[in-house]
Amino acid sequence: MGDENNLPYPFEFRDITDEEKLVIDKLHDFPYASELARLGPKGYIVNKAFKKDAANIYNLPLKSSDIFVTSYQRSGTTWTQELVWLLASDLDYEKALAVPLVDRYSFLEMFMFVPDAGLDSFINTVSQNTENFNKETMLQIVNFLGTPASRKLAITPSPRFIKSHLPMSLLPPKVLDTAKMVYIARDPRDVAVSFYHHTRLFMLTGFKGTFKEFWQLFHGDLLALTPYFEHVKEAWEKRHDPNMLFLFYEDLSKDLPAAIHRVADFLGKKLDDAQTAALCDHLSIENFKKNKAVNFEEFRALGMLAKDEAFVRKGKTGGWRDYFDEKMTQQAEKWIADNLKDTDLRFPSTN
């Protein structure tokens, strides 16, 4: 695709309000709100760094062999990525265990999560978190993470596996005309709990608040790529497209073999009972926690992960009940009902 064929970028970036900045910054170690903007008519929260590659992502040259795994973050993305990759790669467990998932998938918007304003704060935190801190190595890693994926994808051989937490409207507009996509959704209350621990784990934003304060940011559309429901509904509207498979985390959790067969059918693969059982075993939460290729433990040795958090946690549904008080529960129920009233989208019950 030549530049002359590129679509003009249709969305405007706008600053968040001063009131929103105050709410955000009191919960972070550095002025994190200065990194953020709202994008497009739905006001998705993005880091301002997204500007440098937004148009390239929107105009990303696609191939029919491309497979996207997309979601709102902490919805079961990593689990789904591993499942999709193994099915598409004819169950190559040897490679799956040897090559980290981050090297098997291009993370489309990872570059925007490397904060400019908070970089010194983050590096200082990391230096206190490891005995063998090397600033030069750390800056090389940060530089790698901050490199736009569109550049990496231009030289990635097929089949290309692409992960993204961007909503459909920020992806290439004709993505489903060419590539396949698996979207995974999860009860937003469980998403909030998992996202809270994830934010504490990676320390990039310097978040220092309680879960209750984190929930108010999530509920108030003040976290990355919120509003949550707009994100999910954009994918839900495309669920009947032959190149889209819409999954619920709760369904994977309840009946993994059935979910595996749905994904296999979508990718044109057939599994016998023994292969299905072996894949279920590989994807079990117990084995996933121990699997160094998927749990980001290589970052722990570098001091980039908080010592009291893990990337793969409990993997259960309905765990939000351990975190929500009565007032938060009622607020969440009303929020969910209000956002689903004009749609047939319903999250599977976790009772």
Side-chain angles (χ1 to χ4, degrees):
M1 180 192 274
D3 287 349
E4 70 277 2
N5 295 321
N6 279 2
L7 296 167
Y9 197 66
F11 303 123
E12 288 184 11
F13 291 81
R14 63 183 187 275
D15 287 340
I16 59 176
T17 68
D18 290 342
E19 291 82 0
E20 289 170 335
K21 286 177 184 174
L22 286 171
V23 170
I24 293 168
D25 281 343
K26 76 171 186 176
L27 297 175
H28 293 82
D29 286 331
F30 65 91
Y32 179 55
S34 66
E35 302 272 329
L36 304 177
R38 289 197 181 275
L39 179 56
K42 294 178 181 174
Y44 286 111
I45 293 272
V46 294
N47 291 46
K48 288 177 181 174
F50 187 61
K51 286 182 185 179
K52 67 185 175 189
D53 210 44
N56 290 333
I57 288 172
Y58 198 72
N59 285 287
L60 190 71
L62 298 168
K63 302 177 181 180
S64 59
S65 56
D66 290 342
I67 301 176
F68 283 73
V69 173
T70 63
S71 66
Y72 186 87
Q73 55 206 45
R74 308 309 293 169
S75 297
T77 326
T78 305
W79 209 21
T80 309
Q81 283 179 264
E82 184 76 346
L83 166 56
V84 166
W85 189 91
L86 276 164
L87 286 171
S89 305
D90 298 321
L91 303 177
D92 188 347
Y93 291 107
E94 190 177 342
K95 185 173 180 180
L97 290 167
V99 180
L101 196 63
V102 292
D103 293 331
R104 287 180 273 142
Y105 277 79
S106 293
F107 185 2
L108 206 49
E109 69 281 4
M110 176 62 223
F111 68 93
M112 84 165 183
F113 292 113
V114 179
D116 292 331
L119 199 52
D120 290 341
S121 169
F122 174 66
I123 287 176
N124 183 50
T125 301
V126 170
S127 70
Q128 296 170 14
N129 208 28
T130 178
E131 293 173 11
N132 306 310
F133 178 71
N134 184 311
K135 187 169 183 179
E136 190 176 326
T137 301
M138 182 56 52
L139 287 172
Q140 286 175 348
I141 291 168
V142 167
N143 185 52
F144 172 77
L145 294 175
T147 301
S150 63
R151 272 191 238 161
K152 300 174 190 173
L153 281 165
I155 55 171
T156 301
S158 299
R160 301 183 306 182
F161 294 87
I162 302 166
K163 163 191 171 180
S164 182
H165 296 311
L166 296 174
M168 294 297 296
S169 56
L170 301 185
L171 292 170
K174 295 193 173 179
V175 60
L176 296 180
D177 292 352
T178 305
K180 285 191 177 299
M181 181 181 294
V182 177
Y183 184 96
I184 179 103
R186 185 182 192 183
D187 185 306
R189 294 164 294 193
D190 280 331
V191 168
V193 171
S194 185
F195 195 0
Y196 166 70
H197 285 285
H198 182 78
T199 299
R200 285 164 49 90
L201 172 71
F202 277 95
M203 306 181 294
L204 272 169
T205 67
F207 178 78
K208 60 183 180 185
T210 63
F211 171 71
K212 192 168 190 174
E213 288 167 323
F214 189 86
W215 163 254
Q216 294 308 333
L217 293 181
F218 184 62
H219 173 269
D221 300 337
L222 292 174
L223 290 178
L225 298 169
T226 55
Y228 170 82
F229 279 104
E230 292 303 323
H231 196 297
V232 177
K233 286 191 278 193
E234 283 191 15
W236 181 250
E237 287 168 9
K238 302 285 188 183
R239 70 192 183 282
H240 298 307
D241 189 293
N243 275 340
M244 164 71 90
L245 179 62
F246 190 106
L247 299 173
F248 285 106
Y249 180 89
E250 290 78 11
D251 289 338
L252 264 74
S253 192
K254 189 165 73 175
D255 191 345
L256 186 55
I260 285 172
H261 283 287
R262 279 191 70 196
V263 178
D265 288 346
F266 178 66
L267 297 175
K269 304 289 183 177
K270 290 273 183 270
L271 296 186
D272 61 29
D273 290 348
Q275 289 171 320
T276 303
L279 188 49
C280 282
D281 183 60
H282 177 83
L283 294 170
S284 71
I285 198 72
E286 294 78 17
N287 284 331
F288 225 55
K289 281 182 180 178
K290 295 182 288 190
N291 185 345
K292 288 186 169 61
V294 301
N295 63 20
F296 286 86
E297 284 303 302
E298 66 269 28
F299 287 98
R300 192 174 297 282
L302 297 164
M304 292 176 72
L305 305 184
K307 290 174 179 169
D308 58 344
E309 294 284 356
F311 184 78
V312 180
R313 289 178 58 253
K314 298 180 179 178
K316 70 177 192 176
T317 61
W320 62 268
R321 292 181 179 88
D322 298 334
Y323 289 77
F324 281 61
D325 61 27
E326 186 58 34
K327 185 178 177 185
M328 293 163 71
T329 300
Q330 290 176 358
Q331 183 185 44
E333 285 175 356
K334 182 180 187 307
W335 180 58
I336 293 169
D338 287 348
N339 277 282
L340 297 184
K341 68 174 186 285
D342 295 325
T343 169
D344 56 357
L345 169 64
R346 296 293 180 271
F347 290 91
S349 170
T350 57
N351 292 336

